[in-house]
């Protein structure tokens, strides 16, 4: 969208919502299709667009041009946030996937405590009593629920209150900062290829296919690496309380 098509603050105050939707429908669709590259097939783009439209209308109500950001920049943040909120409400993985994920994390923790180094696929599979192919299938299954920030890697299992930015009080702020420090240290201690996958996925927002092209491996292998990295981080920070 060209700069000339962006609404300025005075325009937002006077335009009706129908005009606003027409003006920025393309922005909503672009964000939706970008996110689709990082989501399971069960998520429908129309659902993302619908939630994105709600985010757009919310942006129109709350936008303050005096804070410096253009309306399109602000709206983009609100649209993406609304879509991610909708995605997080869903849990596409069956109970068995969550159960196997916890088994993997426990196995990684056990191997790394014994060996004093990164656990490899063969060692984790051996602790689980399964073949390497079966282990890779479990990694593939547990990779179905895509995440969108480093913090979310641990959000479901560890210290959700710490990750809540709205939690008041200086004590919680210090605890949240300490948690992020431990998370950063855990990420820096990952095997190099897993670090790279996480950086490309979370920082550069590439999808799995694009990451595969960068690394020269299949999309399936990237999915395995991403899944194993998240399990390894959860194992290493499992004692966080």
């Amino acid at each position: 969208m060209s700069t000339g098509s962006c609404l300025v603050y005075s325009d937002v105050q006077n335009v009706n919502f129908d005009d606003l939707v027409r003006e920025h429908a393309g922005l909503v669709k672009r964000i939706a299709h970008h996110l689709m590259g990082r989501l399971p097939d069960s998520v429908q783009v129309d659902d993302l667009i619908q939630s994105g439209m709600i985010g757009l209308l919310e942006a129109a109500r709350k936008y303050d041009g005096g804070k410096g950001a253009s309306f399109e920049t602000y709206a983009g943040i609100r649209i993406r946030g609304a879509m991610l909120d909708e995605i997080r409400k869903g849990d596409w993985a069956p109970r068995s996937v969550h159960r196997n994920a916890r088994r993997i994390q426990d196995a990684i923790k056990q191997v790394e405590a014994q060996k004093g180094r990164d656990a490899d696929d063969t060692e984790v599979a051996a602790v689980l009593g399964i073949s390497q192919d079966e282990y890779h299938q479990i990694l593939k299954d547990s990779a179905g629920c895509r995440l969108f920030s480093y913090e979310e890697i641990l959000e479901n299992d560890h210290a959700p209150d710490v990750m809540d930015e709205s939690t008041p009080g200086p004590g919680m702020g210090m605890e949240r900062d300490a948690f992020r420090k431990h998370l950063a240290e855990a990420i820096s201690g990952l095997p190099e290829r897993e670090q790279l996958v996480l950086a490309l996925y979370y920082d550069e927002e590439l999808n799995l296919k694009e990451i595969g092209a960068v690394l020269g491996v299949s999309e399936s292998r990237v999915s395995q690496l991403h899944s194993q990295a998240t399990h390894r981080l959860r194992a290493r920070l499992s004692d966080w309380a």
Side-chain angles (χ1 to χ4, degrees), residues 25 28 77 150 201 206 223:
V28 174
I77 294 170
Y150 286 119
Y201 186 79
L206 300 186
S223 179

Side-chain angles (χ1 to χ4, degrees), residues 8 12 14-15 62 68 70 73 85 95-96 122 134 151 160 186 189 196 207 216 230 235-236 239-241:
V8 297
V12 172
N14 299 318
V15 75
K62 295 186 175 181
S70 71
T73 298
D85 285 345
R95 290 177 183 269
S96 61
T122 305
E134 289 173 314
E151 287 87 352
L196 181 56
N207 61 39
T230 60
R236 292 179 181 181
D239 293 332
W240 180 270

Side-chain angles (χ1 to χ4, degrees), residues 5 14 37 110 175 202 209 218:
S5 65
N14 299 318
Q110 179 181 330
E175 187 175 0
Y202 295 107
K209 183 177 181 180
S218 68

Side-chain angles (χ1 to χ4, degrees), residues 190-231:
L190 290 173
E192 184 177 352
R193 180 160 279 203
E194 291 179 16
Q195 285 190 55
L196 181 56
V197 167
L198 294 187
L200 292 173
Y201 186 79
Y202 295 107
D203 297 334
E204 302 300 325
E205 296 192 353
L206 300 186
N207 61 39
L208 302 185
K209 183 177 181 180
E210 292 167 335
I211 295 172
V214 172
L215 298 182
V217 299
S218 68
E219 184 175 345
S220 175
R221 180 55 181 156
V222 175
S223 179
Q224 289 174 8
L225 289 168
H226 176 272
S227 183
Q228 185 158 275
T230 60
H231 289 313

Side-chain angles (χ1 to χ4, degrees), residues 2 15 45 51 60 63 100 112-113 131 145 149 164 173 190 199 207 227 238:
S2 66
V15 75
V45 69
S51 9
Y63 177 68
N100 285 333
E112 294 189 344
S131 70
C145 297
S149 70
D164 183 0
L190 290 173
N207 61 39
S227 183
S238 61

Side-chain angles (χ1 to χ4, degrees), residues 116 171 177 180:
D177 290 343
R180 286 178 172 154

Side-chain angles (χ1 to χ4, degrees), residues 59-71:
R61 284 192 287 268
K62 295 186 175 181
Y63 177 68
D64 181 355
K67 294 186 176 180
S70 71
F71 177 72

